């Protein structure tokens, strides 16, 4: 579908992080609210540096309490086993009936490394190269079971179900994986992979493997420059750049009611802070900012992180989103049922079913 400004409809996502919430019901409530607003997906962050619940497990609990919205937990690749990561993400895709994503991140600190005791912290470039290899082997393992194939005989790496299994033999710089996967091929084929590409170290991995890239920038020009860089790199890797959605990432503080954006915010653009660009103002001015940025073609949509999730997400849904829908820039219903369909991304073909080969 096309918006009145001649561009594709906006894609919108929201973070539902709540540091003090140790009950999944708080996340269920926020995700249902975002779903009422038609958001493409919600994200839930996770690191080894903060106390809290496991993001993927929480969103697996949210899955049966929602029906349409995409669910994207952060799962780091540095100290986790690639085989287990891909199986967990595939499982989320199954229990959500095709609404899973995976925000790929790395663990850079020595403190995180000490939690596992396997190796010391490594430079960001090396960690993101490893993350790319994890993303690569995950896709191969998702393809190691053909659509509709039953899973048997995993101990021997063989299956006897319809379509059978395909052996995966992957050698990365820091790990090796022998497949096939123990999980059946996910409903989406490949759950949506998301990378925050603000850090230059993450951009090569985003360009080559991500379906969605998040970019924090205080102006459309900043975001648009990174988008152009990602698209050029995707093309160099043989990808169609149209298969990579780029969302501008903003932290939003909608305060206690409709009011003009503060100086340095809203019409003047978000304020750059140590945590990234921050918009502070009312939901109407935020809708104007989103519409203006979208018209420039700098981004395919926005990923919004509310400062006060319960307060700000309600204002996003009932204020900002409602205005964008009124202007024909954002959809009023979900046209499909999977996250890939929300994002307008095709379901990947199974590489092994097509070629009959192995990795």
């Amino acid at each position: 579908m096309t918006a009145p400004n001649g561009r594709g409809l906006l894609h919108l996502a929201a973070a539902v992080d709540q540091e003090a919430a140790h009950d999944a019901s708080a996340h269920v409530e926020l995700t249902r609210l975002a779903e009422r607003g038609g958001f493409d997906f919600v994200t839930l962050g996770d690191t080894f540096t903060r106390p809290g619940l496991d993001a993927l497990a929480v969103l697996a609990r949210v899955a049966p309490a929602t029906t349409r919205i995409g669910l994207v937990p952060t799962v780091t690749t540095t100290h986790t086993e690639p085989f287990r990561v891909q199986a967990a993400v595939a499982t989320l895709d199954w229990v959500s009936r095709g609404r899973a994503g995976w925000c790929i991140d790395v663990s850079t600190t020595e403190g995180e490394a000490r939690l596992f005791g396997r190796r010391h912290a490594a430079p960001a470039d090396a960690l993101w190269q490893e993350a790319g290899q994890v993303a690569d082997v995950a896709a191969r393992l998702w393809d190691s079971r053909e659509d509709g194939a039953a899973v048997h005989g995993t101990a021997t790496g063989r299956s006897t179900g319809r379509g059978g299994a395909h052996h995966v033999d992957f050698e990365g710089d820091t790990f090796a994986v022998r497949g096939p996967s123990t999980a059946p091929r996910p409903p989406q084929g490949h759950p949506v992979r998301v990378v925050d590409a603000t850090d230059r170290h993450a951009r090569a991995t985003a360009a080559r493997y991500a379906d969605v890239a998040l970019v924090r920038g205080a102006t459309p020009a900043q975001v648009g420059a990174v988008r152009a860089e990602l698209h050029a790199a995707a093309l160099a890797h043989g990808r169609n750049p149209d298969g990579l959605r780029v969302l501008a990432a903003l932290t939003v503080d909608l305060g206690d009611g409709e009011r003009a954006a503060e100086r340095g915010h809203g019409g003047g653009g978000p304020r750059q802070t140590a945590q990234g660009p921050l918009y502070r103002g009312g939901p109407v001015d935020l809708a104007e900012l989103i519409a203006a940025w979208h018209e420039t073609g700098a981004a395919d949509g926005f990923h919004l992180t509310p400062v006060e999730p319960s307060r700000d997400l309600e204002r996003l849904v009932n204020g900002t989103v409602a205005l964008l829908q009124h202007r024909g820039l954002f959809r009023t219903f979900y046209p499909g049922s999977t996250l890939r369909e929300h994002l307008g991304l095709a379901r990947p073909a199974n590489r092994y079913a097509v070629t009959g080969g192995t990795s």
Side-chain angles (χ1 to χ4, degrees):
M1 295 182 67
T2 303
N5 60 16
R7 302 195 177 280
L9 292 182
L10 278 162
H11 296 286
L12 293 178
V16 292
D17 300 81
Q18 300 177 88
E19 290 185 3
H22 294 161
D23 183 339
S25 63
H27 295 97
V28 168
E29 182 179 352
L30 282 182
T31 305
R32 282 175 168 169
L33 177 58
E35 188 172 63
R36 287 203 296 275
F39 279 68
D40 292 68
F41 62 88
V42 295
T43 60
L44 185 57
D46 205 350
T47 75
F48 295 124
T49 60
R50 60 124 176 99
L53 303 181
D54 180 90
L56 192 148
V58 169
L59 291 185
R61 166 66 182 86
V62 171
T66 53
T67 59
R68 286 289 186 270
I69 194 165
L71 306 171
V72 183
T74 294
V75 182
T76 63
T77 60
T78 306
H79 302 294
T80 49
E81 295 295 337
F83 189 90
R84 287 295 307 150
V85 170
Q86 65 81 27
V89 174
T91 300
L92 180 61
D93 205 44
W94 276 104
V95 301
S96 66
R97 299 182 179 181
R99 294 183 286 128
W102 167 22
C103 187
I104 300 169
D105 203 355
V106 300
S107 303
T108 60
T109 69
E110 190 62 33
E112 291 167 292
R114 283 196 296 269
L115 293 173
F116 299 87
R118 295 175 181 167
R119 58 176 174 168
H120 292 290
D125 275 336
L127 295 179
W128 276 108
Q129 181 173 327
E130 180 186 63
Q133 293 174 349
V134 174
D136 187 359
V137 76
R140 292 170 187 269
L141 289 164
W142 291 331
D143 285 346
S144 68
R145 302 283 176 180
E146 294 187 18
D147 292 315
V151 178
H152 303 291
T154 53
T156 62
R158 298 177 183 279
S159 88
T160 57
R162 178 162 60 89
H166 299 274
H167 186 65
V168 174
D169 187 353
F170 187 94
E171 193 80 30
D173 294 336
T174 58
F175 65 89
V177 173
R178 306 286 183 266
S181 176
T182 51
R185 192 168 195 250
Q188 294 183 100
H190 297 174
V192 171
R193 288 172 290 184
V194 179
V195 172
D196 187 333
T198 307
D199 186 336
R200 65 174 181 81
H201 300 294
R203 290 179 192 169
T205 296
R208 188 165 186 176
Y209 298 108
D211 302 293
V212 177
L214 309 181
V215 178
R216 283 170 277 149
T219 67
Q222 289 176 356
V223 176
V226 177
R227 182 176 189 259
E229 177 185 338
L230 291 170
H231 278 188
L235 189 63
H237 287 299
R239 296 185 63 190
N240 181 349
D242 291 339
L244 174 60
R245 300 283 178 262
V246 177
L247 306 187
L250 296 178
T251 300
V252 296
D253 178 358
L254 299 184
D256 54 1
E258 183 53 49
R259 54 191 171 83
E262 293 182 5
R263 182 180 293 276
H265 295 271
R271 177 179 298 169
Q272 189 66 52
T273 71
Q275 291 73 41
L278 168 67
Y279 168 89
R280 180 174 291 142
V284 173
D285 278 0
L286 179 59
E288 293 294 334
L289 182 146
I290 288 174
W293 283 34
H294 183 241
E295 190 165 4
T296 69
D300 301 300
F302 285 77
H303 174 264
L304 304 171
T305 300
V307 170
E308 293 288 343
S310 298
R311 178 196 68 188
D312 293 333
L313 189 57
E314 187 275 333
R315 289 168 184 166
L316 281 171
V317 170
N318 295 319
T320 304
V321 168
L323 283 166
L324 293 171
Q325 290 172 329
H326 179 72
R327 295 174 64 168
L329 299 177
F330 188 59
R331 62 165 173 264
T332 56
F333 63 94
Y334 289 102
S337 59
T338 71
L339 178 52
R340 283 190 169 275
E341 289 172 330
H342 303 342
L343 293 165
L345 297 172
R347 186 178 189 271
N350 188 320
R351 75 190 70 193
Y352 302 127
V354 172
T355 65
T358 61
S359 68

Coordinates of all heavy atoms in Angstrom, one line a residue, residues 111-139:
G111 N 33.0 -8.1 32.4 CA 32.0 -8.6 33.4 C 31.1 -9.6 32.9 O 30.8 -10.6 33.6
E112 N 30.6 -9.4 31.7 CA 29.8 -10.4 31.1 C 30.6 -11.7 30.8 O 30.1 -12.8 31.0 CB 29.2 -9.9 29.8 CG 28.1 -8.8 30.0 CD 27.8 -8.0 28.7 OE1 28.7 -7.3 28.2 OE2 26.6 -8.2 28.3
A113 N 31.8 -11.5 30.3 CA 32.6 -12.7 30.0 C 32.9 -13.5 31.3 O 32.9 -14.8 31.2 CB 34.0 -12.2 29.4
R114 N 33.1 -12.9 32.4 CA 33.3 -13.6 33.7 C 32.1 -14.4 34.1 O 32.3 -15.4 34.8 CB 33.7 -12.6 34.8 CG 35.2 -12.1 34.7 CD 35.6 -11.5 36.0 NE 34.8 -10.3 36.3 CZ 35.2 -9.1 35.9 NH1 36.3 -8.9 35.2 NH2 34.5 -8.0 36.2
L115 N 30.9 -14.0 33.7 CA 29.7 -14.8 34.1 C 29.8 -16.2 33.5 O 29.2 -17.2 34.1 CB 28.5 -14.1 33.5 CG 28.1 -12.8 34.2 CD1 26.9 -12.2 33.4 CD2 27.8 -13.0 35.7
F116 N 30.5 -16.4 32.4 CA 30.6 -17.7 31.7 C 31.9 -18.4 31.9 O 32.0 -19.6 31.9 CB 30.2 -17.5 30.3 CG 28.8 -17.0 30.0 CD1 28.6 -15.7 30.0 CD2 27.8 -17.9 29.9 CE1 27.3 -15.2 29.9 CE2 26.5 -17.4 29.8 CZ 26.2 -16.1 29.8
G117 N 33.0 -17.5 32.0 CA 34.3 -18.1 32.3 C 34.9 -18.9 31.1 O 35.8 -19.6 31.3
R118 N 34.4 -18.6 29.9 CA 35.0 -19.4 28.8 C 36.0 -18.6 28.0 O 36.9 -19.2 27.5 CB 33.8 -19.7 27.8 CG 32.8 -20.7 28.4 CD 31.6 -20.9 27.4 NE 30.6 -21.7 28.0 CZ 29.4 -21.9 27.5 NH1 29.1 -21.2 26.4 NH2 28.5 -22.7 28.0
R119 N 35.9 -17.3 28.0 CA 36.9 -16.5 27.3 C 36.8 -15.1 27.8 O 35.8 -14.7 28.5 CB 36.6 -16.6 25.8 CG 35.2 -16.1 25.4 CD 35.1 -16.1 23.9 NE 33.7 -15.8 23.6 CZ 33.3 -15.5 22.3 NH1 34.2 -15.5 21.4 NH2 32.1 -15.2 22.1
H120 N 37.8 -14.3 27.4 CA 37.8 -12.9 27.8 C 36.9 -12.1 26.8 O 36.6 -12.5 25.7 CB 39.2 -12.3 27.8 CG 40.0 -12.9 29.0 ND1 39.8 -12.6 30.3 CD2 41.0 -13.8 28.9 CE1 40.6 -13.3 31.0 NE2 41.4 -14.0 30.2
A121 N 36.6 -10.8 27.2 CA 35.9 -9.9 26.3 C 36.8 -9.7 25.0 O 38.0 -9.8 25.1 CB 35.6 -8.6 26.9
A122 N 36.1 -9.4 23.9 CA 36.8 -9.3 22.6 C 36.4 -7.9 22.0 O 35.4 -7.3 22.4 CB 36.4 -10.4 21.7
P123 N 37.1 -7.4 21.0 CA 36.8 -6.2 20.4 C 35.4 -6.3 19.7 O 35.0 -7.4 19.2 CB 37.9 -6.0 19.4 CG 39.1 -6.8 19.9 CD 38.4 -8.0 20.6
A124 N 34.8 -5.2 19.6 CA 33.4 -5.1 19.0 C 33.4 -5.7 17.6 O 32.5 -6.4 17.1 CB 32.8 -3.7 19.0
D125 N 34.4 -5.3 16.8 CA 34.4 -5.8 15.4 C 34.4 -7.3 15.3 O 33.7 -7.9 14.5 CB 35.7 -5.3 14.7 CG 35.5 -3.9 14.1 OD1 34.3 -3.6 13.8 OD2 36.5 -3.2 13.9
A126 N 35.2 -8.0 16.2 CA 35.2 -9.4 16.2 C 33.9 -10.0 16.7 O 33.5 -11.0 16.2 CB 36.4 -9.9 17.1
L127 N 33.3 -9.4 17.7 CA 32.0 -9.9 18.2 C 30.9 -9.8 17.2 O 30.1 -10.7 17.1 CB 31.7 -9.1 19.5 CG 32.6 -9.3 20.7 CD1 32.2 -8.5 21.9 CD2 32.7 -10.8 21.1
W128 N 30.9 -8.7 16.4 CA 29.9 -8.6 15.4 C 30.1 -9.5 14.2 O 29.2 -10.0 13.6 CB 29.7 -7.1 15.0 CG 28.8 -6.4 15.9 CD1 29.2 -5.4 16.8 CD2 27.4 -6.6 16.1 NE1 28.1 -5.0 17.5 CE2 27.0 -5.7 17.1 CE3 26.5 -7.4 15.4 CZ2 25.7 -5.6 17.5 CZ3 25.1 -7.3 15.8 CH2 24.7 -6.4 16.8
Q129 N 31.4 -9.8 13.9 CA 31.7 -10.8 12.9 C 31.1 -12.1 13.3 O 30.5 -12.9 12.5 CB 33.2 -10.9 12.6 CG 33.5 -11.9 11.5 CD 35.0 -11.9 11.1 OE1 35.6 -10.8 11.1 NE2 35.5 -13.0 10.7
E130 N 31.4 -12.5 14.6 CA 30.8 -13.7 15.2 C 29.3 -13.7 15.1 O 28.7 -14.7 14.8 CB 31.3 -13.9 16.6 CG 30.8 -15.2 17.3 CD 31.3 -15.2 18.7 OE1 30.8 -14.3 19.5 OE2 32.0 -16.1 19.1
A131 N 28.7 -12.6 15.5 CA 27.2 -12.5 15.4 C 26.7 -12.7 14.0 O 25.7 -13.4 13.9 CB 26.8 -11.1 15.9
G132 N 27.4 -12.2 13.0 CA 27.0 -12.5 11.7 C 27.1 -14.0 11.3 O 26.2 -14.6 10.7
Q133 N 28.1 -14.7 11.8 CA 28.2 -16.1 11.6 C 27.1 -16.9 12.3 O 26.6 -17.8 11.8 CB 29.6 -16.6 12.1 CG 30.7 -16.1 11.2 CD 32.1 -16.4 11.7 OE1 32.2 -16.9 12.8 NE2 33.1 -16.2 10.9
V134 N 26.7 -16.4 13.5 CA 25.6 -17.0 14.2 C 24.3 -16.8 13.5 O 23.5 -17.8 13.3 CB 25.5 -16.4 15.7 CG1 24.2 -17.0 16.4 CG2 26.7 -16.8 16.5
A135 N 24.1 -15.6 13.0 CA 22.9 -15.4 12.1 C 22.9 -16.2 10.9 O 21.8 -16.8 10.5 CB 22.8 -13.9 11.7
D136 N 24.0 -16.4 10.3 CA 24.1 -17.3 9.1 C 23.8 -18.7 9.4 O 22.9 -19.3 8.8 CB 25.6 -17.2 8.6 CG 25.7 -17.9 7.2 OD1 24.8 -18.5 6.7 OD2 26.9 -17.9 6.7
V137 N 24.4 -19.3 10.5 CA 24.1 -20.7 10.8 C 22.7 -20.9 11.3 O 22.1 -22.0 11.1 CB 25.2 -21.3 11.8 CG1 24.9 -20.8 13.2 CG2 25.2 -22.8 11.7
A138 N 22.2 -19.9 12.0 CA 20.8 -20.0 12.4 C 19.8 -20.2 11.2 O 19.0 -21.1 11.2 CB 20.4 -18.8 13.2
A139 N 20.1 -19.4 10.2 CA 19.2 -19.5 9.0 C 19.4 -20.9 8.3 O 18.4 -21.5 7.8 CB 19.5 -18.4 8.0

